[in-house]
Amino acid sequence: TTFFKKNLQLMELGLFKICFLLALFSGAWAIYEEDIGKFDWYIRSIGPMKMSFFDQTHHTSRRVIVASELSILASVTLRSGELVWRRNLEEFRPINTVLHRESTLITVSDNGKLLRRWDPESGHLQWEVSTEGEYETDDAYVHAFLNDTNNILLLTSSKLKCYTVGGHTLFERDLQKETDGADIFKLSVLKSSIVTLGYHSDNKSLSWVKMLVSKVKEKGSIETFDNFIREDCVLVGMESIVCLERKTARFYVAHTQAQSLFKHYQLQNIHLNPIDLTSESCIKVSDHFSRVSRRFYFKLSANKQFILEVDVSDDSIKVVQGFSSEHPLLLFDDFLENNIIIFSLTSDSTTLAVKCYDLTNGVHLDSLELTLVMDRFSGPPVNAVPYLFYKKGQSMGYRLMVSFLDGSFSLIQQTGRISWTRDEALSDIVSAKFTP
């Protein structure tokens, strides 16, 4: 009897161990009802790239700084695409823009209400400035610049504030008072010169203000035209106001000078076909050349884009260079010393092609062109950022950070090789910069 009892106890113990092991490795765990749908932790990727910046803290760029619409700020290596550091910021305070130059890295968040400076090397927060409660802001017209002395100029809710690189306020200007109540929507900065543009909805006029550092040097107003839309208006060369009027297929040009009036030019007058005008048509300026010249981008359609120039003598417009393709194309630019290079990027389901144009000397750079066979179709490219450099033999080279419709982004070498690809379809990138 004792023998059978001992065997029974051993069997019960063995059965208990088997049941315990089955429960342990079966992958099924009991949870409380209130815990359903909750996670103890999760890992989030960076997100599809909307903007990117080669971080140039050192002589050569070795990293990319990325910021997402989910308020993720991160640094990625150029060598492998691996994360160096990542900071998850408040999702309810989205990042509006990122400013970067050398060792200065600034994020502008929550419609300009929060400024933060970060260390590009470590990702450590160096300071933050909050303007919460000072004024209401309009997300459509938040503009921020780093001037030549690395001071931060922030335009939001028609107020212009200037901060030092240490986060201290240098000056503040209420531009609505300077313009008798205009809604300020454009800001252009060149060295110590500042030009702003505002709109009066009551009398349909534009007001402009020219400043030297914090002092107002000149201001005036210009009567607008029928069908004027602020989003179709840009400041070119710190002196010219250029507007696209879609309904009648015209450009309007005026000066930021006293007694100035808008002149208008039909698209066919500059040898452009108004039939090609679409809802995608737009004009935009370049940080690299529009403030120091009177040249600007004009996107006529998805596969036809141009660089136009305002003539100084009579404010007429002419075509500097045209770009066209069977497929939708992207235009973007970079500069190296005194050379401004325009990149055009096109793709189909199997290949991606890059062409280069030297805007300074007016020549195509055939030696920099490449055609890359894609190992998978990620959709058309939606954004690209170049990084120009000189090779050891003093010939020009470049890298491209290209983001695609499916949310992935890749680093492409001039040799026609994809260095790496990150799949970031679960979150959204707002901006990124290359860093050493």
Side-chain angles (χ1 to χ4, degrees):
T1 304
T2 304
F3 174 77
F4 284 110
K5 285 183 177 180
K6 288 183 178 180
N7 283 342
L8 184 60
Q9 289 175 352
L10 290 173
M11 291 175 63
E12 289 176 348
L13 181 61
L15 183 61
F16 172 77
K17 290 180 177 180
I18 292 172
C19 292
F20 176 77
L21 291 173
L22 286 173
L24 182 65
F25 294 107
S26 65
W29 292 83
I31 61 174
Y32 291 104
E33 184 177 351
E34 61 267 21
D35 290 333
I36 295 175
K38 296 181 179 180
F39 297 88
D40 290 329
W41 57 268
Y42 69 101
I43 296 176
R44 183 166 55 190
S45 297
I46 299 172
M49 186 178 67
K50 182 178 179 182
M51 295 168 52
S52 67
F53 307 87
F54 288 87
D55 184 2
Q56 300 175 40
T57 305
H58 300 291
H59 179 66
T60 58
S61 182
R62 299 195 303 268
R63 297 182 188 172
V64 183
I65 299 296
V66 177
S68 81
E69 290 187 1
L70 294 182
S71 295
I72 299 173
L73 185 69
S75 176
V76 177
T77 65
L78 281 183
R79 182 182 296 272
S80 62
E82 295 179 354
L83 285 171
V84 179
W85 53 261
R86 175 174 54 196
R87 300 291 176 262
N88 293 343
L89 310 183
E90 307 94 331
E91 290 190 27
F92 63 92
R93 309 187 82 168
I95 297 174
N96 298 106
T97 189
V98 174
L99 306 175
H100 178 265
R101 183 187 296 136
E102 297 176 348
S103 61
T104 302
L105 176 63
I106 306 290
T107 56
V108 181
S109 304
D110 198 13
N111 297 343
K113 296 176 184 176
L114 184 63
L115 273 72
R116 287 172 168 144
R117 183 182 178 184
W118 307 85
D119 181 358
E121 290 282 342
S122 64
H124 293 157
L125 178 65
Q126 296 180 324
W127 53 257
E128 72 174 36
V129 174
S130 175
T131 60
E132 187 74 41
E134 291 187 19
Y135 43 76
E136 293 299 320
T137 59
D138 183 352
D139 187 24
Y141 303 119
V142 173
H143 298 276
F145 284 92
L146 278 175
N147 66 10
D148 288 5
T149 57
N150 266 10
N151 292 329
I152 304 148
L153 289 160
L154 176 66
L155 173 67
T156 180
S157 191
S158 295
K159 291 182 174 62
L160 180 65
K161 287 189 109 175
C162 182
Y163 300 90
T164 67
V165 75
H168 305 291
T169 302
L170 276 180
F171 67 84
E172 179 178 358
R173 281 281 185 178
D174 188 342
L175 295 174
Q176 282 193 326
K177 293 181 180 179
E178 300 287 350
T179 57
D180 297 325
D183 182 12
I184 310 299
F185 66 97
K186 290 292 180 184
L187 170 68
S188 188
V189 179
L190 180 63
K191 296 182 179 179
S192 299
S193 298
I194 301 170
V195 179
T196 65
L197 199 60
Y199 180 63
H200 292 272
S201 57
D202 52 352
N203 59 10
K204 296 183 179 180
S205 66
L206 289 176
S207 287
W208 49 267
V209 177
K210 292 182 180 180
M211 300 172 60
L212 186 63
V213 191
S214 61
K215 296 181 180 179
V216 175
K217 306 298 289 184
E218 192 178 357
K219 57 184 178 180
S221 61
I222 307 169
E223 185 178 349
T224 59
F225 47 88
D226 292 337
N227 306 311
F228 171 80
I229 299 175
R230 286 181 288 185
E231 287 74 15
D232 291 332
C233 184
V234 296
L235 279 166
V236 180
M238 304 290 288
E239 294 285 343
S240 297
I241 304 169
V242 179
C243 304
L244 172 65
E245 204 280 280
R246 303 164 187 270
K247 191 171 182 179
T248 58
R250 292 178 179 178
F251 282 110
Y252 282 80
V253 184
H255 256 57
T256 51
Q257 293 179 353
Q259 309 301 322
S260 180
L261 296 173
F262 273 108
K263 298 180 181 180
H264 61 82
Y265 304 93
Q266 297 283 353
L267 260 64
Q268 56 262 38
N269 292 344
I270 54 176
H271 310 292
L272 299 178
N273 192 345
I275 297 177
D276 294 329
L277 202 65
T278 67
S279 59
E280 296 184 58
S281 301
C282 63
I283 54 177
K284 67 175 184 177
V285 294
S286 165
D287 288 340
H288 293 143
F289 61 80
S290 291
R291 284 177 289 167
V292 296
S293 70
R294 296 198 176 199
R295 294 178 175 180
F296 61 98
Y297 285 114
F298 174 46
K299 180 179 180 180
L300 182 58
S301 62
N303 55 358
K304 289 183 180 181
Q305 299 191 43
F306 301 87
I307 296 175
L308 306 182
E309 183 175 32
V310 179
D311 193 304
V312 179
S313 61
D314 59 1
D315 282 341
S316 62
I317 294 179
K318 65 179 181 180
V319 176
V320 176
Q321 182 63 34
F323 303 85
S324 61
S325 171
E326 295 180 1
H327 307 283
L329 62 86
L330 289 176
L331 287 188
F332 46 97
D333 56 76
D334 197 12
F335 73 98
L336 186 60
E337 295 183 351
N338 295 321
N339 295 317
I340 297 172
I341 308 301
I342 309 296
F343 295 81
S344 66
L345 180 65
T346 58
S347 72
D348 55 27
S349 59
T350 58
T351 60
L352 184 144
V354 179
K355 295 184 178 181
C356 301
Y357 178 78
D358 186 338
L359 183 63
T360 306
N361 299 304
V363 295
H364 291 277
L365 303 177
D366 297 336
S367 61
L368 297 183
E369 294 185 3
L370 70 87
T371 300
L372 179 69
V373 178
M374 307 293 289
D375 58 355
R376 70 175 193 181
F377 181 61
S378 301
V382 295
N383 196 10
V385 174
Y387 171 59
L388 281 168
F389 58 90
Y390 282 122
K391 300 177 183 178
K392 291 183 179 179
Q394 292 302 303
S395 61
M396 191 178 294
Y398 62 86
R399 300 184 183 99
L400 296 178
M401 184 64 66
V402 182
S403 62
F404 298 90
L405 188 62
D406 69 349
S408 65
F409 61 95
S410 303
L411 178 68
I412 297 175
Q413 302 281 5
Q414 182 199 342
T415 55
R417 180 175 65 90
I418 296 179
S419 295
W420 49 261
T421 297
R422 286 187 63 99
D423 292 300
E424 304 287 343
L426 297 181
S427 55
D428 299 319
I429 285 192
V430 168
S431 66
K433 288 201 176 190
F434 279 87
T435 74

